[in-house]
Amino acid sequence: MDLAFQPELTVCGIDELPSQSDRNVTHVLSIIDPDRADLEAFSAYGHHVRTTLRFHDIITPIPGQIMPTHDHVKAVLKFGEDFLSRQDRTARSHVLVHCHMGVSRSTAAMITLMAQANPDETAEALFARLVKIRPQAWPNSQMVAFADDQLGRNGDLSAALSRHYGRQIESQPQFRDWMTRLGRQAELKMAIIE
């Protein structure tokens, strides 16, 4: 299978950004909280293209916080479209996607980008690749649902996400407590443990 999205792919959290500066990152998708100051870590990076999105990592409305929306996922897809249509398609590239911890918003964005670039790849295969990139991935379910809709995948990303959550809970039981503390019980209920 010829996979279109074959740059080097990295997902990380803010604290990990300094350690990525010498890895020849060419494209960055930053997802940060709306009230967070601009990040200084990128001043140590070489030339790169960067898009910054600002919203909170929530799946249900919380007063004073910004939910992920269709428009945020549309912006992720625009980032992917720009990357895929770049003039130097044969040049080496390294796409880095980050959020606060590199667990939820960034992994949802990465699965979206991979699904966009590889429309014929199964959702299960995409999630298997995601776990190799970021073993602690727990993609934001709202973002994945919007990606499912916008990419016309008829729910296969969300269905695979439920199985992914189940595998994560089995292999990393701390996710159950962590997501409960974060008010993400709806995602825990989505989990299919096989």
Side-chain angles (χ1 to χ4, degrees):
M1 179 186 302
D2 179 31
L3 301 177
F5 203 52
Q6 285 296 338
E8 184 172 354
L9 301 175
T10 299
V11 173
C12 72
I14 291 173
D15 290 348
E16 299 165 88
L17 288 173
S19 67
Q20 303 295 325
S21 66
D22 62 350
R23 296 191 59 220
N24 299 314
V25 172
T26 59
H27 295 76
V28 175
L29 179 59
S30 291
I31 305 174
I32 56 178
D33 291 349
D35 55 350
R36 182 156 194 119
D38 287 335
L39 302 174
E40 296 179 13
F42 294 112
S43 63
Y45 282 49
H47 174 73
H48 63 279
V49 175
R50 183 167 16 119
T51 296
T52 301
L53 303 177
R54 292 179 174 271
F55 56 91
H56 292 99
D57 185 23
I58 56 177
I59 61 168
T60 56
I62 295 175
Q65 294 198 14
I66 297 172
M67 287 272 298
T69 66
H70 277 281
D71 287 342
H72 292 125
V73 173
K74 186 184 275 188
V76 171
L77 291 169
K78 173 73 167 89
F79 173 87
E81 182 182 311
D82 291 347
F83 175 80
L84 292 170
S85 65
R86 69 198 187 284
Q87 290 184 348
D88 60 343
R89 286 189 65 126
T90 58
R92 190 204 61 76
S93 58
H94 181 172
V95 175
L96 182 147
V97 181
H98 83 86
C99 61
H100 186 76
M101 298 289 294
V103 172
S104 185
R105 290 170 288 184
S106 55
T107 60
M110 183 60 81
I111 200 78
T112 299
L113 294 170
M114 293 188 319
Q116 175 187 37
N118 302 287
D120 297 328
E121 189 170 1
T122 68
E124 287 297 330
L126 291 168
F127 276 97
R129 288 174 57 204
L130 179 66
V131 170
K132 288 180 182 172
I133 295 166
R134 192 69 170 173
Q136 64 269 47
W138 186 276
N140 181 293
S141 59
Q142 292 296 299
M143 294 176 66
V144 172
F146 294 144
D148 230 340
D149 179 54
Q150 292 180 39
L151 293 169
R153 292 196 62 126
N154 300 315
D156 76 326
L157 288 176
S158 294
L161 177 64
S162 293
R163 292 186 293 276
H164 169 78
Y165 285 161
R167 289 188 296 271
Q168 292 296 72
I169 289 168
E170 284 190 319
S171 66
Q172 301 179 61
Q174 70 273 17
F175 269 119
R176 193 176 295 281
D177 291 336
W178 191 11
M179 292 302 135
T180 300
R181 284 196 314 271
L182 293 173
R184 307 275 283 267
Q185 292 90 339
E187 290 175 338
L188 293 171
K189 288 178 184 173
M190 284 175 61
I192 296 173
I193 298 176
E194 299 173 326

